[in-house]
């Protein structure tokens, strides 16, 4: 039982020492997103690396001591071309004009007075179109015809009071409604 307590204590101390954090970020396609380093100022001895994807491809690097302040826009497949910017004060990474290709995991590593690592899980959502409600009636010989309402996005159409209907499209960032 003592071995377990020592391991937990070691793990808690090590995780606190290296500062491991994780954050989820959502953005609409075409917008910019900032992945915050949580630094107020880059220190002379800080080496900052930004990596992307499962292969941890290096996409940005900052080293004030070596006078390096670079983004690698063509890594891994050109998806970041002319879209990466670095905040010169904080070292935060800005991705402009996002597309769904920019969704994925980003890793920030800061090697300095202490080792810090932070992972960002970025979701990029396509903009929603305004839904359209149409009426589909089948003709029959009976005086009343059967009609159904269809939402253009194949989502549910909700009945509301006084014979009104609404169709709602949404994602975690926005929604569109038609009545």
């Amino acid at each position: 039982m003592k071995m377990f307590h020592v391991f937990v204590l070691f793990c808690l101390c090590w995780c606190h020492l290296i500062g491991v954090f994780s954050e989820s970020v959502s953005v609409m396609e075409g917008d910019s997103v900032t992945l915050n380093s949580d630094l107020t100022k880059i220190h002379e001895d800080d080496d900052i690396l930004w990596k992307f994807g499962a292969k941890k491809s290096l996409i940005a690097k900052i080293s004030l001591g070596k006078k390096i302040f670079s983004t690698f826009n063509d890594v891994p497949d050109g998806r970041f071309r002319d879209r990466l910017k670095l905040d010169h004060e904080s070292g935060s990474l800005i991705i402009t004009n996002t597309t769904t290709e920019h969704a994925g995991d980003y890793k920030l590593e800061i090697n300095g007075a202490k080792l810090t690592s932070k992972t960002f899980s970025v979701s990029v959502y396509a903009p929603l179109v305004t839904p359209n409600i149409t009426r589909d009636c089948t003709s029959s010989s009976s005086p009343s015809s059967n009609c159904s309402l269809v939402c253009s996005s194949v989502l549910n159409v909700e009945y509301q009071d006084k014979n009104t209907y609404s169709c709602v499209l949404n994602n975690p960032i926005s929604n569109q409604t038609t009545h």
Side-chain angles (χ1 to χ4, degrees):
M1 198 60 130
K2 287 182 181 180
M3 182 70 150
F4 175 73
H5 292 295
V6 171
F7 175 73
V8 170
L9 180 61
F10 171 77
C11 189
L12 289 173
C13 291
W14 176 252
C15 289
H16 179 70
L17 175 67
I18 63 171
V20 176
F21 303 99
S22 182
E23 187 175 318
S24 293
V25 180
S26 296
V27 64
M28 288 296 292
E29 194 171 36
D31 290 345
S32 295
V33 63
T34 300
L35 305 181
N36 292 309
S37 68
D38 294 332
L39 296 175
T40 53
K41 181 181 177 186
I42 303 169
H43 296 98
E44 191 72 24
D45 61 341
D46 285 341
D47 284 333
I48 299 173
L49 302 176
W50 283 98
K51 298 178 180 182
F52 172 73
K55 294 182 180 179
K56 306 280 190 261
S57 300
L58 184 64
I59 58 173
K61 181 176 182 174
I62 300 171
S63 178
L64 290 183
K66 297 175 185 171
K67 298 184 180 174
I68 297 172
F69 214 94
S70 300
T71 57
F72 307 104
N73 294 313
D74 56 349
V75 176
D77 55 9
R79 74 179 73 197
F80 294 108
R81 190 168 322 253
D82 301 325
R83 287 188 164 102
L84 297 178
K85 298 184 183 329
L86 290 167
D87 182 293
H88 289 262
E89 288 291 317
S90 68
S92 295
L93 180 70
I94 301 136
I95 308 164
T96 62
N97 194 22
T98 57
T99 69
T100 54
E101 286 186 317
H102 301 116
D105 292 332
Y106 293 78
K107 185 172 184 179
L108 165 66
E109 295 176 1
I110 304 172
N111 300 309
K114 70 176 187 174
L115 176 63
T116 302
S117 177
K118 187 175 179 182
T119 302
F120 298 84
S121 178
V122 175
S123 298
V124 181
Y125 293 93
L128 297 173
V129 296
T130 302
N132 186 27
I133 299 175
T134 56
R135 189 172 72 176
D136 182 19
C137 294
T138 58
S139 59
S140 66
S141 57
S142 67
S144 63
S145 58
N146 292 328
C147 294
S148 62
L149 297 177
V150 179
C151 179
S152 64
S153 62
V154 194
L155 295 181
N156 49 334
V157 177
E158 298 175 8
Y159 174 72
Q160 297 176 345
D161 293 340
K162 300 180 185 175
N163 292 325
T164 61
Y165 297 83
S166 69
C167 177
V168 179
L169 297 178
N170 64 19
N171 64 29
I173 297 175
S174 67
N175 65 46
Q176 291 283 348
T177 304
T178 297
H179 296 283

